[in-house]
């Protein structure tokens, strides 16, 4: 009888340790999502700021400046539920403005244009990487949260279900090809 109680206590302690370890792992994944989201937000803000700065610099023709400025402004001012659409619109505007090599060359030849083009190239390259890191963290957390043990024992607590950030982040070909 005593041996049975000891084995039951050992099994309960082992299960408790395993559940605690799983909850800690889930907590670390949620912290990783938060950090990746902050990095993604910073890269999106940087891209929109550089695009807005370039649009107001006088380096671009007026039509391109207006298109780029409006898309960058909308991306910076978008509410959270409209953010993916606004960022996708900015990506499309960047591809429309910098879709051809002559436009990129014209920007580079203008005073201060080389630096602006370099900053924009760096910004449009970093956004897909930041989005990929964020979505990978979301994918890992979702996979863990789908396990029965996590649902049954409510190991996720009150944390919201993680959502991926889906947007069009394809960079302008002429801008990236020139820098490569």
């Amino acid at each position: 009888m005593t041996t049975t109680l000891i084995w039951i206590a050992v099994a309960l302690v082992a299960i408790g340790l395993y559940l605690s370890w799983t909850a800690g792992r889930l907590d670390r994944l949620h912290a990783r999502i938060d950090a990746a989201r902050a990095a993604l937000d910073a890269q999106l803000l940087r891209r929109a700021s550089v695009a807005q700065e370039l649009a107001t610099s006088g380096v671009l023709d007026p039509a391109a400046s207006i298109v780029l400025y409006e898309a960058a402004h909308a991306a910076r001012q978008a509410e959270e539920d409209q953010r993916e659409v606004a960022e996708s619109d900015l990506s499309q505007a960047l591809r429309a403005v910098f879709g051809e090599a002559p436009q990129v060359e014209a920007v580079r030849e203008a005073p201060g244009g080389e630096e602006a083009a370099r900053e924009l190239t760096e910004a449009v390259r970093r956004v897909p990487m930041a989005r990929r890191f964020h979505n990978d963290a979301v994918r890992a957390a979702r996979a863990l949260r789908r396990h029965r043990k996590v649902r049954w024992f409510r190991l996720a607590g009150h944390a919201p279900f993680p959502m991926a950030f889906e947007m069009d982040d394809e960079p302008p070909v002429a801008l990236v090809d020139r820098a490569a």
Side-chain angles (χ1 to χ4, degrees), residues 11-12 14-23 26 144-158:
L12 288 175
I15 290 170
L17 288 173
Y18 177 71
L19 290 175
S20 175
W21 176 79
T22 303
L26 190 57
L144 185 58
R145 286 182 70 152
R146 282 192 193 104
H147 290 153
R148 270 182 261 160
K149 65 181 176 252
V150 173
R151 291 192 319 263
W152 287 352
F153 292 102
R154 299 178 189 260
L155 298 180
H158 296 288

Side-chain angles (χ1 to χ4, degrees), residues 57-130:
S57 68
V59 173
L60 300 172
D61 64 90
S65 292
I66 291 171
V67 167
L68 193 57
Y69 181 83
E70 287 180 353
H73 181 71
R76 289 183 70 175
Q77 300 298 319
E79 296 293 326
E80 192 60 37
D81 59 337
Q82 294 296 315
R83 184 95 187 267
E84 293 172 351
V85 174
E87 294 294 346
S88 293
D89 290 346
L90 178 56
S91 294
Q92 292 169 2
L94 286 166
R95 282 197 306 273
V97 172
F98 297 106
E100 298 176 6
Q103 180 69 23
V104 175
E105 291 304 319
V107 169
R108 289 183 190 277
E109 291 170 1
E114 185 69 36
E115 178 68 22
R118 186 185 58 74
E119 282 184 48
L120 186 60
T121 301
E122 289 175 9
V124 298
R125 281 185 169 180
R126 289 180 180 164
V127 167
M129 287 187 291

